[in-house]
Amino acid sequence: MSSSFFARLFRRNKNPNSLSYRREMARQIAGHRIRYVTEKIDGVEEVIGRDGSIDIRNGELIVFASSEVIFRCLVDKLQAWELLSKDGVVLTAPDIEHDGRERTIIVFYVYYR
């Protein structure tokens, strides 16, 4: 078998609008521990939660921090980008937990040495 066969078989989808990319990104960020979560409110970036985790349940991505669900969305509707530093991720999606309005939050991971 040629190496190009394996390259095609295990190639990651790089189209952020595709369903496979969204699902892969959700799997990649799930399980991370959260240091804090921010959201831009009225032009000011505010901390909306601390100490939590990111999980996937029943096709939904759940951001849990400060002893409450901060953000909950369908994985198939999620747009996610890792920060260049790899210390966190930007999440944008209709938030089921907050009446389905689209929100953008930034989740910062706990840093391990």
Side-chain angles (χ1 to χ4, degrees):
M1 293 195 171
S2 71
S3 63
S4 64
F5 171 76
F6 287 111
R8 284 193 313 261
L9 184 63
F10 295 108
R11 179 178 51 194
R12 291 184 68 192
N13 190 340
K14 294 183 180 182
N15 178 2
N17 295 320
S18 73
L19 199 55
S20 63
Y21 179 90
R22 292 171 190 230
R23 290 176 179 171
E24 176 61 32
M25 184 59 105
R27 279 192 297 271
Q28 184 177 333
I29 63 176
H32 275 94
R33 297 222 18 227
I34 295 173
R35 183 170 38 157
Y36 60 94
V37 181
T38 65
E39 181 177 24
K40 196 173 271 192
I41 301 172
D42 297 326
V44 178
E45 195 166 336
E46 296 183 19
V47 175
I48 59 172
R50 295 183 184 277
D51 300 321
S53 64
I54 303 172
D55 293 309
I56 298 175
R57 287 206 180 118
N58 301 325
E60 296 178 345
L61 183 93
I62 300 169
V63 177
F64 183 80
S66 295
S67 300
E68 64 181 277
V69 175
I70 300 291
F71 183 82
R72 182 169 60 104
C73 70
L74 295 173
V75 168
D76 293 350
K77 302 284 184 184
L78 174 67
Q79 294 178 343
W81 304 269
E82 282 191 311
L83 300 178
L84 290 176
S85 63
K86 303 290 187 193
D87 287 344
V89 65
V90 178
L91 305 174
T92 300
D95 186 358
I96 298 168
E97 199 69 20
H98 295 90
D99 301 324
R101 68 182 165 93
E102 186 163 298
R103 292 175 65 202
T104 299
I105 64 171
I106 304 172
V107 177
F108 294 88
Y109 305 140
V110 171
Y111 180 72
Y112 292 105
R113 285 190 184 248

